[in-house]
Amino acid sequence: MHPPPTSNQKKPQDLFLVCGLKSLGQHCVAILKEYDVKVSAIEDVQPEHWEVPEVPKLLEKLIIGDCRQPSILEQAGICQCRSILFVTRNERINIEAAFAARRLNPHVRLIVRSDKQNFNKLLWENLGNFVAFEPTHLSAHAFALTALGSEAIGYFTLEGQLLQVIKHQVQAKDSWCNGKPVHRLNLTTRRILTHRPVSSNPLQELFGWNPEAEVQVGDTLVYIDVAYELALSEQDRQSHRQRWQWQKFIQGITAKNLKDKIAQFWQSYYQSQNQIRRIATIYAMTVLILWLVGIILYRLYYPDITIQEAFYGTAVLLLGGYGDLFGGVEFASQSKPSDDMPWWLRLFSLGLTLTGQAFVGVLYALLTDALVTSRFHFFNSRLPIPQRNHLVIIGLNRLGQKVAALLQELNQPLVGIHPTTLHQETLPNMPLIVGNATEALMKANLSHAKSIILVGDDNMENLEIGLMAHAINPATTLILRSQDRQFSDNVAPLFPYAQFICDSALAAEVFACAAFGENVLSLFHLNEQIVMVTEYKIEDGDTLNGLLLSELASGYSVVPILYQKYQRDNYSLMPWYDVKLDAGDRLIVLATSSSLQRIEWGEMLPRLWQVQIEKALTTNAIMYGAEEIVLITGCSSTDARQWMNNLPRVLPIPLYKHQAQRLMRELTKVQVLSNLIFIGQP
């Protein structure tokens, strides 16, 4: 990141080079120009179609040639480049061109379109100042989250913990937020991103909400919170959840509700197992009970035999040995012949044999069922098509497969439609319908589906199938992929029930931000904007060094979600805003493209508020008040004590509104009276 320019100095006109002017490359050019930088491009042939019409006017220079050739790179001005984006559709060309560029300019930043994750990691370790993205992976999250239709609008992992972004409309039953000031909703595991009252328009800035406003029914809250830790493996986490459910079940049992608990458990088991397994379970329990009863009866009627002999004698009967025991054979330690046995005990013994034989038959049936099922899965391991409340994915190309994998991670029922059969190892746990999409819609139980996702490579075909799907089920959520921004801009207003996602425009935001040195970890949509999870490492002289997190958050409209002090292993999620950034610190924030532009140029929003301190109610209040002023404003302790000893007065430090309001709240806690003053545009 560049240091901020001085007031009498023009912004440096960095040169950025884009290699490949297909859809992604054109969108990258348009976004880079929003940062007020010079952009040149290399394309192997003269483009015949401009998806972004203004691109030719935005380019400083367009070179026609092979970007792998050193002469072409030098002609494009590689020695003056700050960053090069290799975004052709050929992964091999992108990587080979990156090698040539690194040889010509050892310091240029390389942003490469590539899906070779392991190779990309090795290149990052060896080339340095290198980052690689695959547009499919970047846009797949957007398709998956839109299809869910739930309150979750984004999720990502940080340091082994899953964080989710929730968009929630407040209900009367929401005691955790209803009627409370917004600032009180911030916790160590939750951070408010936006608060929109029911009658207002969506906010364009992450810090544009009023922290003192009371949350009312109908308001919309967007917040990020920690869902759960991902440090354990998936099996360990499932095992942990099952143990927790069993503990909860056992702890909830009392003498009064024991019968209900047993019925609840049996009903749950009944719904989760097939018929043969349920019968086998019943028989197994019956056999164990009869075995125990037999041991007790034989031991009581024949006191001379041992428990061991009663145990094995009952086992022989259960295994069909009635003739062995009562065909003239006596119990080993029994002096009476078996003919002297009472009729009821002999009838019970016969019942044991019949029950045991039936149980053996059930075991054979269970084994046969398992063998047949395994053989069926060997030849056709695809699961049956869900009946209702499922998601339908049409077009299982690389993007479709990534979307399906994400939805499976979220345990969503889904079915895929593809013109050809997929490899057996590709999404083996997903039902698949092979054939023409228009003919396969009825087979997918579309009338009961929750969402349909069309990610094919043909815009018109996606639209055609989408309109057919809407005719079958008007209530389903329709998500269509568009590879042309003009197409989606023209068509979207005509079909308001459909949601169009242009994956090239989405991915271009990340590629462009990465060109300025930011490490974009993930992204999500909020109020028709792309919010990026961006990582910074603070350096000497850059635009963030020396700022309080409160100044960073309000001044650049970003939300800090992770802070790690230089050379320390521990980190803070949802850090408090009193932390001061120093060189070497690590910081992860949520930011829009406009926020990242402001950080790039050091253009902070103006500080429009001051705090007027009226009086301190106690002697200790003067000391405690000075401490709060130092903590929240970052001023020196000498100045703070001097101001507190000369009251009333207006603190001569312009603040952001969130800063000023928090200072007033903390001063009130230590018995210092104050009020807020709006000073207007400086």
Side-chain angles (χ1 to χ4, degrees):
M1 193 191 315
H2 280 342
T6 59
S7 58
N8 59 353
Q9 177 186 5
K10 288 186 177 181
K11 298 174 183 176
Q13 290 291 305
D14 294 308
L15 177 61
F16 292 77
L17 180 59
V18 177
C19 297
L21 284 180
K22 298 298 187 290
S23 179
L24 177 59
Q26 294 182 38
H27 283 96
C28 286
V29 171
I31 294 173
L32 285 170
K33 287 302 293 185
E34 294 178 3
Y35 287 80
D36 192 22
V37 296
K38 293 181 178 180
V39 183
S40 294
I42 299 175
E43 179 59 86
D44 55 352
V45 294
Q46 180 68 36
E48 297 180 358
H49 169 68
W50 294 102
E51 183 177 324
V52 183
E54 60 270 20
V55 164
K57 300 178 182 178
L58 300 177
L59 291 173
E60 298 290 323
K61 188 186 299 183
L62 173 59
I63 308 298
I64 304 300
D66 188 344
C67 60
R68 293 172 293 181
Q69 299 297 323
S71 59
I72 297 296
L73 291 172
E74 290 174 345
Q75 186 179 349
I78 186 174
C79 295
Q80 291 77 42
C81 281
R82 177 178 172 182
S83 297
I84 306 180
L85 290 78
F86 298 98
V87 291
T88 73
R89 293 176 177 174
N90 189 311
E91 194 174 60
R92 185 183 185 91
I93 291 177
N94 293 335
I95 295 176
E96 290 181 3
F99 292 155
R102 173 58 76 233
R103 185 171 65 86
L104 295 174
N105 187 340
H107 305 293
V108 69
R109 181 166 176 80
L110 306 176
I111 300 92
V112 176
R113 176 180 182 173
S114 171
D115 191 31
K116 299 182 181 297
Q117 298 181 9
N118 185 55
F119 190 34
N120 295 337
K121 182 179 179 182
L122 295 173
L123 293 177
W124 172 76
E125 293 173 351
N126 289 274
L127 295 181
N129 206 10
F130 172 96
V131 64
F133 299 107
E134 168 52 45
T136 298
H137 294 173
L138 297 175
S139 57
H141 282 81
F143 284 95
L145 289 167
T146 305
L148 289 177
S150 64
E151 291 188 332
I153 61 174
Y155 70 94
F156 49 90
T157 59
L158 290 180
E159 303 295 338
Q161 300 192 71
L162 178 68
L163 281 75
Q164 58 184 355
V165 181
I166 303 296
K167 186 175 183 180
H168 175 68
Q169 188 170 27
V170 179
Q171 309 294 326
K173 62 182 180 180
D174 294 332
S175 58
W176 67 275
C177 62
N178 190 12
K180 296 180 180 178
V182 182
H183 70 84
R184 288 184 55 190
L185 305 181
N186 285 325
L187 304 173
T188 55
T189 58
R190 180 173 64 219
R191 185 58 47 87
I192 300 298
L193 305 184
T194 66
H195 166 240
R196 179 169 67 90
V198 65
S199 58
S200 63
N201 296 322
L203 299 173
Q204 297 303 313
E205 299 287 353
L206 293 178
F207 258 74
W209 45 276
N210 181 8
E212 299 293 341
E214 285 193 359
V215 179
Q216 304 294 334
V217 175
D219 292 359
T220 301
L221 288 171
V222 179
Y223 59 92
I224 179 173
D225 69 359
V226 180
Y228 53 81
E229 292 193 7
L230 295 172
L232 299 174
S233 67
E234 182 63 27
Q235 288 185 343
D236 293 338
R237 195 161 57 248
Q238 292 290 344
S239 176
H240 174 77
R241 290 173 180 170
Q242 292 175 358
R243 288 197 301 270
W244 178 82
Q245 291 172 353
W246 270 103
Q247 292 173 359
K248 183 178 179 182
F249 173 80
I250 294 172
Q251 292 172 359
I253 292 178
T254 63
K256 184 177 180 180
N257 65 0
L258 177 60
K259 183 178 179 181
D260 295 337
K261 289 290 183 180
I262 294 175
Q264 179 183 355
F265 169 77
W266 182 252
Q267 183 180 8
S268 174
Y269 177 81
Y270 183 87
Q271 293 173 349
S272 63
Q273 305 294 329
N274 63 37
Q275 185 175 2
I276 295 179
R277 292 183 181 180
R278 291 197 297 270
I279 295 175
T281 303
I282 295 173
Y283 265 99
M285 295 172 62
T286 303
V287 168
L288 289 175
I289 293 172
L290 290 176
W291 199 341
L292 180 61
V293 172
I295 293 172
I296 296 172
L297 289 178
Y298 292 130
R299 187 75 174 85
L300 291 175
Y301 193 78
Y302 298 107
D304 294 338
I305 67 173
T306 64
I307 293 179
Q308 184 179 6
E309 289 173 334
F311 175 87
Y312 286 116
T314 308
V316 169
L317 289 171
L318 288 170
L319 293 175
Y322 182 84
D324 296 332
L325 289 181
F326 296 102
V329 181
E330 300 178 357
F331 284 103
S333 301
Q334 162 59 17
S335 58
K336 295 183 179 181
S338 58
D339 292 339
D340 295 337
M341 180 179 292
W343 67 268
W344 59 268
L345 186 56
R346 194 154 190 168
L347 184 61
F348 174 76
S349 301
L350 180 61
L352 288 179
T353 297
L354 295 176
T355 303
Q357 292 288 76
F359 180 62
V360 171
V362 171
L363 286 179
Y364 278 124
L366 188 62
L367 290 173
T368 303
D369 176 70
L371 289 173
V372 172
T373 302
S374 63
R375 184 177 180 182
F376 173 78
H377 280 290
F378 178 80
F379 291 103
N380 184 11
S381 62
R382 297 291 176 182
L383 299 176
I385 298 171
Q387 295 300 309
R388 59 180 59 251
N389 202 33
H390 56 286
L391 299 95
V392 181
I393 302 179
I394 299 179
L396 290 171
N397 49 21
R398 187 160 56 175
L399 174 58
Q401 293 178 24
K402 181 65 177 177
V403 174
L406 290 172
L407 291 171
Q408 285 186 326
E409 289 179 7
L410 299 173
N411 297 320
Q412 295 296 312
L414 69 158
V415 59
I417 297 176
H418 198 62
T420 58
T421 304
L422 297 177
H423 191 276
Q424 196 66 34
E425 296 181 357
T426 303
L427 301 169
N429 297 322
M430 184 190 71
L432 177 65
I433 301 174
V434 178
N436 186 283
T438 57
E439 299 175 356
L441 288 178
M442 298 306 298
K443 299 179 183 179
N445 296 325
L446 190 61
S447 57
H448 299 290
K450 180 170 65 174
S451 298
I452 178 170
I453 312 165
L454 297 109
V455 291
D457 298 324
D458 189 318
N459 294 335
M460 295 303 296
E461 184 178 357
N462 288 339
L463 180 60
E464 178 187 359
I465 300 172
L467 295 178
M468 293 176 58
H470 180 74
I472 298 173
N473 184 359
T476 189
T477 301
L478 196 60
I479 303 104
L480 293 93
R481 177 194 185 192
S482 168
Q483 299 188 81
D484 188 325
R485 193 181 69 176
Q486 283 186 341
F487 177 83
S488 55
D489 289 345
N490 292 331
V491 174
L494 303 177
F495 307 99
Y497 50 81
Q499 301 186 51
F500 292 83
I501 298 179
C502 182
D503 50 350
S504 296
L506 190 70
E509 294 269 2
V510 177
F511 277 85
C513 290
F516 291 93
E518 285 82 1
N519 183 16
V520 180
L521 306 178
S522 184
L523 55 87
F524 59 91
H525 274 93
L526 175 60
N527 298 334
E528 299 182 354
Q529 295 187 94
I530 297 175
V531 178
M532 282 163 277
V533 185
T534 308
E535 182 178 18
Y536 288 100
K537 186 173 181 181
I538 312 303
E539 300 176 358
D540 285 322
D542 71 21
T543 58
L544 304 182
N545 191 18
L547 291 180
L548 294 171
L549 285 186
S550 57
E551 296 174 314
L552 165 73
S554 296
Y556 292 120
S557 292
V558 301
V559 179
I561 57 174
L562 185 143
Y563 170 75
Q564 186 173 17
K565 190 69 178 173
Y566 178 56
Q567 291 186 338
R568 291 188 183 178
D569 294 331
N570 60 318
Y571 60 89
S572 300
L573 277 179
M574 317 300 175
W576 296 112
Y577 288 160
D578 303 329
V579 175
K580 190 172 186 178
L581 296 172
D582 295 312
D585 292 354
R586 176 180 172 229
L587 180 69
I588 297 178
V589 302
L590 303 181
T592 62
S593 179
S594 59
S595 298
L596 296 177
Q597 289 181 40
R598 283 197 288 264
I599 293 176
E600 170 69 16
W601 298 116
E603 295 178 346
M604 301 182 72
L605 297 172
R607 307 168 194 250
L608 305 178
W609 301 85
Q610 283 183 296
V611 174
Q612 181 177 11
I613 301 180
E614 301 293 345
K615 61 184 299 187
L617 300 181
T618 65
T619 304
N620 289 336
I622 296 177
M623 177 182 64
Y624 294 141
E627 292 176 355
E628 295 297 339
I629 294 173
V630 172
L631 190 66
I632 295 175
T633 68
C635 70
S636 68
S637 56
T638 302
D639 290 339
R641 285 195 297 268
Q642 180 181 354
W643 297 334
M644 288 300 298
N645 287 323
N646 295 277
L647 299 180
R649 70 173 302 147
V650 176
L651 297 183
I653 304 178
L655 301 172
Y656 293 106
K657 187 174 184 179
H658 283 236
Q659 261 187 303
Q661 289 176 319
R662 178 162 179 255
L663 178 57
M664 287 182 58
R665 292 195 298 269
E666 298 304 319
L667 289 176
T668 301
K669 293 179 183 178
V670 297
Q671 297 185 306
V672 175
L673 303 181
S674 61
N675 55 67
L676 207 58
I677 299 176
F678 178 69
I679 58 177
Q681 189 75 26

